[in-house]
Amino acid sequence: MTASIQNQHFLLRRLHSLFGLLPVGGFLIFHLWENSQSRFGAQYYNEHVVGWLQGLNYLVVMEIFVIALPLLFHAVYGLLVLRSGKGEWGRFPWLHHRFYWLQRVSGVAILLFLLFHVGWTRLWGLWDPSIRLDLFSHMQSLLTQPLVFLLYLVGLLLSVFHLSNGLWTMSIVWGLTTSREAQQRWFYICTGLFLLLNALGLHGLLGFVL
């Protein structure tokens, strides 16, 4: 029985890390790039970004099966890990264990942020067609409110940290960085990715308000 449980945990942990990278992490990177196009103005963003996405075949199917369901699995398993106590702050004194704790906590915060973000954009747009036609102005009206901008900035930082640190831990889970030196080199790369994606995301946020 114990071996069976360990095998299930082995599989679920790898599925959890895999879904965190693809498609959830991949979609985050695409979404940051997508929003960075806001710098070209309302007409370009609405026509060439939002309009192109809304014109895709099977968009709702992709949103459900490629984004929502993998995200749901990733979130639920992450909550189970947090509940197990493995991510306690004071369990070990090491830096990466602190990051592991923040990884779990940030997952909860990101989930709450996504409920707000999707509700105020995608779901609200189902009832108000003007949002789908002019998403740029809708986001601009939200982000010009200082508290909402701060909320999105925190959501950006936590989401990018969750992905970057998740890539670091994933390399260990999958046995790609087995030595301490390899883990340290990969940590530098993931830190660079963290800075790059945050810059891209901030560029996108500012594009809506400046």
Side-chain angles (χ1 to χ4, degrees):
M1 180 66 70
T2 302
S4 176
I5 294 175
Q6 289 178 344
N7 289 336
Q8 291 177 7
H9 177 68
F10 179 88
L11 176 61
L12 290 174
R13 189 180 181 190
R14 275 147 187 78
L15 286 175
H16 175 255
S17 62
L18 183 62
F19 283 164
L21 176 61
L22 296 171
V24 176
F27 176 73
L28 172 62
I29 295 174
F30 169 78
H31 195 52
L32 294 178
W33 172 85
E34 170 194 358
N35 285 337
S36 72
Q37 306 307 297
S38 62
R39 69 187 189 277
F40 293 120
Q43 182 176 356
Y44 182 91
Y45 184 82
N46 290 327
E47 292 181 2
H48 297 278
V49 179
V50 180
W52 173 75
L53 286 173
Q54 292 177 351
L56 292 176
N57 288 325
Y58 312 113
L59 176 61
V60 175
V61 174
M62 288 189 291
E63 286 178 329
I64 293 173
F65 291 97
V66 179
I67 301 172
L69 291 181
L71 176 61
L72 180 62
F73 170 81
H74 186 79
V76 169
Y77 189 80
L79 289 173
L80 292 176
V81 173
L82 179 63
R83 187 177 179 183
S84 70
K86 293 181 178 180
E88 292 177 357
W89 172 265
R91 193 176 184 208
F92 300 107
W94 308 316
L95 173 65
H96 288 295
H97 184 76
R98 307 296 196 214
F99 283 174
Y100 184 82
W101 175 86
L102 184 56
Q103 183 83 358
R104 306 276 71 82
V105 174
S106 66
V108 177
I110 292 166
L111 189 58
L112 295 175
F113 170 74
L114 284 177
L115 292 175
F116 169 82
H117 176 58
V118 174
W120 278 74
T121 54
R122 188 69 175 93
L123 297 182
W124 193 0
L126 296 176
W127 283 275
D128 187 353
S130 65
I131 294 177
R132 299 196 302 271
L133 295 175
D134 190 4
L135 182 60
F136 184 96
S137 295
H138 178 67
M139 291 302 303
Q140 188 177 58
S141 66
L142 289 176
L143 293 172
T144 49
Q145 303 175 49
L147 289 179
V148 176
F149 186 90
L150 179 61
L151 174 64
Y152 269 84
L153 183 60
V154 173
L156 167 67
L157 292 171
L158 291 179
S159 299
V160 173
F161 167 81
H162 197 84
L163 173 61
S164 303
N165 190 65
L167 283 172
W168 186 83
T169 56
M170 182 182 180
S171 68
I172 299 175
V173 170
W174 287 82
L176 301 177
T177 53
T178 56
S179 68
R180 187 172 183 176
E181 292 75 15
Q183 292 172 11
Q184 190 63 34
R185 287 193 297 268
W186 183 234
F187 175 73
Y188 291 143
I189 294 174
C190 290
T191 300
L193 179 66
F194 171 79
L195 296 174
L196 177 64
L197 291 181
N198 271 307
L200 182 65
L202 181 59
H203 193 190
L205 291 178
L206 294 175
F208 286 110
V209 298
L210 297 181

